[in-house]
Amino acid sequence: MEELIKYGEKFFDELEIAIYRTRDASVNIELNEVSTSALRERVVTIIRGLKDKRLGVSIVDTDDKRMLRDAIERAYKMSRLNKPDEKWVSLPLPGKYRNRRKMDKEIKEISPDYFVELAKEGIDQALQEEGVVVAGGGGGAEWRESLIMNSNGINVLQEGGGAFFYIELVGMKEGKVTPGIFDFDAKLSLNLDVGSVVKSAVQKVKWAFNVERSKTEEAKVILQPWALSSLLNYAFFPAFSGEKLMKGTTPLMNKLEETISSDLLNVYDDPLHELSINPIIADDEGTPTRKNILVEKGVFKGFIWDNYWANVKEVESTGNGKRNFSTGGIGIGFHNVVIENGKREIGDIISEIKHGYLVDSFQGAHSSNPDNGNFAVVANPAFLIEDGEIKGSTVFMMSGNIYELLPSIYAISKEQKVLPFGGSMVVPSVAFENVRIAGK
């Protein structure tokens, strides 16, 4: 592909070629049955070129060299139509990459039939419990290969993949219908624990059959990984973008080295964390990735950057350039956010609560405002805790500001969950005290 870079230099001052190959084997579950299986393969090449600070982009579903030459010429024609970006400095330069993680090559060739059998196993196990309906679910594996090259000398090839399984159960018994109960597993191998996923979901269905009323009060609330991640993804994590700092839209402006949370909270972005299912050594611009500490013992430690906004700010990119496959452009994003775990098991944290709540999922987290941290969500399903035991399911409203909520953390679980949806996250359960809720 180096000859394509040389060809593109006839038209552009700088040129980037990014080739992505994906192979996705998957199944879907609907109403106690495996509804579909699929095997999809795709190649996408994205050309980004700059001439006199004018950007041209072309996207093609091929890696054929002749067609890529045509794409380079189209990108050049597009650049001539665009206005110069006076903030533009340059594409990134080569850097030193960390050691690669060992990948399970079996994922690269796995058939959807493998996940059909996993799904059938999960369905059969769930249906052994009286009153349980398997409303949905699925599983699969994705293998990814990428080649990022530019005219400044970057040339980095990466490959890897991961697998996942999830299930959604609904309880229907004696006229009672529970909310959907969701659980999942994700790994860099095919060693998925379907049995534990189903067992956990079934247990929550059993709790949900006993419906308890919530009340308007201040109480201890434990957010489990799925609920916590959805809230932080919309209300908190966008504030760490260097672009938002430059545009003055982050509440973390002028907060560097200030305390923003309980000292129990440690958060960082590290694609090579041992549980990460996105173990990349370079971002989508070819810049080396690294461990970026966001919050350390409750103290805000820094923003994340892609190449463009780092150059504008005159700082170093943190290796957080993420590709938008619709536009071909680069934005700032995380690779694998890790919320560091605590030292206590979740069961022990629950056992010490005289009165409180365990939240499995939130509705409405997407409406949170990351520019100020405000949120208003519905906890559903949630579970009532009395005298250290879970007594049944409930629903309540929870609203406030994330920067007022985080200082109330008083415990973090030893267990962590790997979340495969929308990227990769490693998240424990987190307990908060004196949380204001509105009963329903």
Side-chain angles (χ1 to χ4, degrees), residues 268-327:
Y268 51 89
D269 182 43
D270 184 9
L272 295 186
H273 182 272
E274 61 182 355
L275 296 179
S276 169
I277 57 171
N278 186 33
I280 57 173
I281 61 169
D283 70 4
D284 284 319
E285 298 180 282
T287 302
T289 59
R290 64 193 194 191
K291 179 179 179 179
N292 292 306
I293 299 174
L294 307 173
V295 179
E296 185 175 48
K297 294 182 178 180
V299 176
F300 169 51
K301 304 302 290 187
F303 296 94
I304 57 171
W305 302 90
D306 63 0
N307 174 71
Y308 178 88
W309 288 105
N311 283 337
V312 173
K313 180 64 175 174
E314 297 183 343
V315 297
E316 183 180 4
S317 170
T318 58
N320 287 94
K322 299 277 284 187
R323 183 80 59 185
N324 182 323
F325 285 90
S326 297
T327 66

Side-chain angles (χ1 to χ4, degrees), residues 137-138 165-169 181-185 196-202 204 224 360 417 421:
F165 174 81
Y166 72 99
I167 199 163
E168 182 181 10
L169 306 182
I181 304 293
F182 176 78
D183 219 310
F184 53 90
D185 188 25
S196 292
V197 170
V198 176
K199 182 179 179 181
S200 174
V202 166
K204 287 182 279 190
Q224 292 196 290
D360 194 54
K417 196 90 168 177
F421 308 103

Side-chain angles (χ1 to χ4, degrees), residues 374-415:
N374 289 337
F375 64 87
V377 292
V378 176
N380 185 27
F383 304 96
L384 176 67
I385 303 171
E386 294 283 3
D387 297 321
E389 295 183 356
I390 295 176
K391 296 299 184 181
S393 66
T394 190
V395 178
F396 59 83
M397 296 281 296
M398 184 172 148
S399 62
N401 185 280
I402 198 69
Y403 299 98
E404 296 174 0
L405 180 67
L406 293 177
S408 67
I409 294 172
Y410 75 90
I412 298 178
S413 72
K414 182 178 180 180
E415 303 93 336

